[in-house]
Amino acid sequence: MSAGKSVDEPLSEVLTPPPAAPPPPPTQVSAGVPAAGVRTEARAPDGEEVPWQRLNSRLALVDATRFVLTILPSVLVTVVFGRGFDAWPVLIASALGVIVSVMALRRWLTTRFRITEDRVEIRRGLLVRKYRSVPRDRIRTVDTGAKLRHRLTGLRVVTIASGEARTSFKLDAVAKEQAERIRDDLLGVQRNDAAQPEVPERAVEETLLARLRWSWFFYNVLSVWAFLAAALFLWSTSLTLQMFDVDLMEIIRDAIGWDALGVGWSIAVGAGGGFLLGTVGLAISFVKERWNFELVRTRTDDGTALLTRQGLFQTREVYRDDRRLRGIHISEPLLSRWMGLAETEVISTGMRWIPGSDASSAILPRTHVSEAHRVAVLVLGDEHRPLRAPLRAHPRAALYRRLAGTVLTLGIVAGLLAWLGATGALVRGLWLIPVSLMPVGGVLAFVAYRSLGHTMAGPYLVARSGLIRRATVVLQHRGVIGWTLSQSLLQRALGLKTVRVSSAAGARFYEIPDVAADEAVTFIHGGTPELVAEFLADRPAGDPPPDMGHENSSS
């Protein structure tokens, strides 16, 4: 396998996805069918039925080992240390571990699968038999991964996703070589297999788009979630030590010197220590999940695909067919925005999409927004560069709507607190708190307004909005399947409309709030004129829609 081209080479030399084209007709064979001459998994000669296969037998050894390890803590606590029912956390954990181990062993005994010329089938169950079948041309992603116990025994977990939860399933687990053959067969990935002399010699062509940078380490571990991670760790540790008559809180109080420092300094030192502890935990988690991260574009039998590799103890590889790519989603959380950080996902058909998560749609860890834009250019191609297109600012009425919402919400809360204070249910004067927060709410309303923007850039629709998580969506026109225009009473009074874009990809719909009412239909016409032609029928023939303009809206 070649090492791939460097990310520093000119953009013109980087593999780009095929040009936008309508999706293939239903009768066309998709990427699931490999090229002629390539050996496929579980194929039988003509006229013979493809045999059913079972999961790898080494999985039974893994499950048996896990069963022993789950009951070992209970044995030590009850027999060696003489603890009884007061060791209930360990006993419950061991009981759950035993149940999981037995269920895993049962799954190995009852699961069978096979891959034929046109579909993937799996059946499992003893008393209740379950059967699933997925046509090969409906398969969207094939994810191969391995936890530490799988890696130690040479096993891999293959996740086959069709975009529908009821027809997606896992093969947990098969041998590493078999997992690679299944993945390459279903996705049509080109391989150079020395064990197949009938296949012409060829190397997989890959272009490196992004590789792990250690600056990302600080972007992903410095977070307010460190406090939650530290609290969960201390809570679980405290429960464990209580079984041995050890009071963790007393140890922490003595270490801090609560009586000597006083309440204020003790809280400050405890918060700092908790943040440091949580940061260490997040750092370990990041290294474990993102070790050796790479994003590459690789050749398949009939196109290209985006591939991510990552993981230290649990390795993971995810392929995403470029033909199903419809755009890019870049989100910037409020607390990370001041550092210029962003999270990047692809918008693709048939793929789970959860913003901010580590789902199959995520192609980068949290990184600097400039790096996210650079990778987006490589993913989408450098012809139009929609992320650099100037966005059209929304009307000033959108700011008035946000200010009115802030004042109304805080005013209602202040009135409710004042009434409760007058009746004696709460302390008097609490109504001053929401009143004092109105300036802060006004600033946040202005920030939310400055985040609004939209435009058309070549074959792409670009929209940006959001306060807590500002999202920039770049969506191909061919990914739009419908539009919805809506107005609240306040929007009608201010002359605004909310445009909802429906798509078969990504989150299934995207909103562009508070567009000028007289501009909404014109904006839709710029992307999909055939959908709104009847609404513009009264426009003189040959007269193009009004210019959308290119006013810049920066935050």
Side-chain angles (χ1 to χ4, degrees):
M1 181 177 293
S2 61
K5 301 177 184 177
S6 170
V7 295
D8 296 326
E9 294 184 15
L11 294 177
S12 59
E13 299 183 10
V14 177
L15 287 176
T16 56
T27 57
Q28 181 175 341
V29 178
S30 183
V33 180
V38 179
R39 184 183 66 182
T40 59
E41 180 70 22
R43 301 296 180 87
D46 293 340
E48 297 184 14
E49 184 180 0
V50 177
W52 290 90
Q53 304 179 65
R54 69 186 312 163
L55 302 177
N56 195 280
S57 58
R58 291 195 294 268
L59 183 61
L61 177 62
V62 172
D63 295 333
T65 303
R66 184 166 60 174
F67 175 82
V68 173
L69 293 178
T70 54
I71 65 174
L72 185 60
S74 296
V75 173
L76 291 176
V77 170
T78 57
V79 177
V80 179
F81 295 98
R83 307 294 296 186
F85 186 73
D86 54 344
W88 61 268
V90 173
L91 298 178
I92 292 178
S94 296
L96 292 177
V98 168
I99 294 174
V100 171
S101 301
V102 172
M103 295 294 291
L105 183 60
R106 183 184 63 86
R107 183 179 66 248
W108 172 76
L109 291 172
T110 60
T111 300
R112 300 291 185 273
F113 72 95
R114 67 178 180 180
I115 301 176
T116 66
E117 290 287 346
D118 57 353
R119 63 183 56 249
V120 180
E121 300 171 280
I122 186 172
R123 64 186 185 189
R124 58 166 58 99
L126 183 60
L127 300 179
V128 178
R129 301 298 296 271
K130 295 182 179 180
Y131 171 85
R132 287 184 180 180
S133 176
V134 182
R136 293 169 64 98
D137 58 0
R138 297 295 302 274
I139 294 174
R140 301 298 183 258
T141 61
V142 179
D143 183 345
T144 60
K147 297 181 179 180
L148 179 59
R149 61 178 180 270
H150 296 113
R151 295 183 64 183
L152 293 176
T153 52
L155 300 176
R156 294 294 183 269
V157 179
V158 181
T159 303
I160 301 173
S162 65
E164 301 178 9
R166 61 185 179 87
T167 57
S168 302
F169 51 81
K170 291 183 179 181
L171 300 178
D172 183 6
V174 295
K176 176 182 177 181
E177 297 77 11
Q178 185 182 16
E180 293 175 352
R181 291 199 303 270
I182 291 175
R183 179 199 63 197
D184 297 342
D185 178 22
L186 295 178
L187 295 177
V189 177
Q190 298 176 356
R191 303 178 68 242
N192 180 24
D193 194 343
Q196 303 176 39
E198 70 276 6
V199 181
E201 187 74 16
R202 59 184 182 182
V204 177
E205 185 177 358
E206 291 185 349
T207 299
L208 180 65
L209 305 184
R211 177 178 289 160
L212 178 65
R213 300 181 182 178
W214 286 110
S215 59
W216 300 355
F217 178 85
F218 300 99
Y219 298 156
N220 288 267
V221 303
L222 298 178
S223 170
V224 295
W225 293 108
F227 291 106
L228 179 60
L232 292 176
F233 174 78
L234 293 175
W235 176 73
S236 60
T237 304
S238 177
L239 286 179
T240 303
L241 293 179
Q242 282 180 4
M243 295 181 297
F244 304 98
D245 293 329
V246 178
D247 189 348
L248 180 62
M249 297 306 299
E250 183 177 353
I251 295 176
I252 294 177
R253 282 195 299 267
D254 294 340
I256 294 177
W258 183 281
D259 296 331
L261 291 177
V263 177
W265 279 107
S266 296
I267 294 177
V269 172
F275 181 78
L276 180 61
L277 179 62
T279 300
V280 171
L282 293 179
I284 295 174
S285 176
F286 178 79
V287 172
K288 181 185 67 174
E289 295 175 3
R290 301 294 187 176
W291 183 260
N292 285 335
F293 171 87
E294 283 186 343
L295 172 66
V296 301
R297 172 164 276 130
T298 183
R299 291 287 186 185
T300 60
D301 287 338
D302 49 4
T304 58
L306 291 176
L307 164 64
T308 55
R309 305 186 185 99
Q310 60 185 347
L312 180 59
F313 302 116
Q314 179 179 353
T315 58
R316 187 184 185 196
E317 292 186 355
V318 182
Y319 280 82
R320 309 165 187 87
D321 192 341
D322 273 322
R323 295 177 305 162
R324 307 189 187 280
L325 184 66
R326 297 296 180 266
I328 288 286
H329 181 278
I330 297 178
S331 59
E332 302 166 72
L334 179 62
L335 297 179
S336 301
R337 200 180 306 167
W338 65 275
M339 296 177 61
L341 303 182
E343 299 166 354
T344 311
E345 294 101 0
V346 291
I347 300 175
S348 180
T349 58
M351 185 176 293
R352 294 175 299 170
W353 189 88
I354 306 174
S357 72
D358 190 30
S360 300
S361 58
I363 59 173
L364 283 177
R366 182 178 300 172
T367 183
H368 198 273
V369 67
S370 60
E371 175 69 7
H373 285 196
R374 183 192 70 82
V375 173
V377 170
L378 298 179
V379 171
L380 298 176
D382 61 343
E383 180 180 358
H384 300 282
R385 301 202 174 196
L387 288 170
R388 294 189 179 182
L391 301 181
R392 180 172 177 81
H394 287 216
R396 190 61 59 89
L399 173 61
Y400 300 152
R401 178 172 178 252
R402 281 155 178 75
L403 290 174
T406 300
V407 173
L408 181 62
T409 301
L410 293 178
I412 292 175
V413 174
L416 179 61
L417 292 178
W419 175 74
L420 292 174
T423 58
L426 292 177
V427 179
R428 293 178 179 270
L430 290 179
W431 62 272
L432 293 174
I433 296 178
V435 172
S436 63
L437 291 177
M438 284 190 178
V440 177
V443 172
L444 293 178
F446 182 75
V447 172
Y449 165 71
R450 294 289 288 175
S451 296
L452 297 174
H454 64 277
T455 191
M456 294 289 182
Y460 295 100
L461 175 156
V462 186
R464 189 181 69 189
S465 63
L467 173 64
I468 304 300
R469 182 179 286 270
R470 186 174 67 182
T472 303
V473 175
V474 178
L475 181 64
Q476 294 176 357
H477 295 166
R478 67 188 181 116
V480 177
I481 60 176
W483 302 84
T484 302
L485 298 178
S486 61
Q487 269 185 321
S488 65
L489 292 178
L490 182 58
Q491 282 180 314
R492 186 175 303 176
L494 296 174
L496 302 173
K497 285 185 178 181
T498 294
V499 179
R500 171 178 285 195
V501 186
S502 299
S503 175
R508 302 300 187 263
F509 69 88
Y510 299 93
E511 284 190 351
I512 311 174
D514 297 336
V515 179
D518 57 356
E519 181 185 300
V521 175
T522 304
F523 175 72
I524 296 174
H525 184 276
T528 54
E530 67 281 358
L531 295 180
V532 293
E534 59 180 292
F535 297 101
L536 300 178
D538 57 344
R539 192 176 302 280
D543 188 13
D547 183 19
M548 287 295 299
H550 293 291
E551 299 179 26
N552 189 19
S553 174
S554 60
S555 59

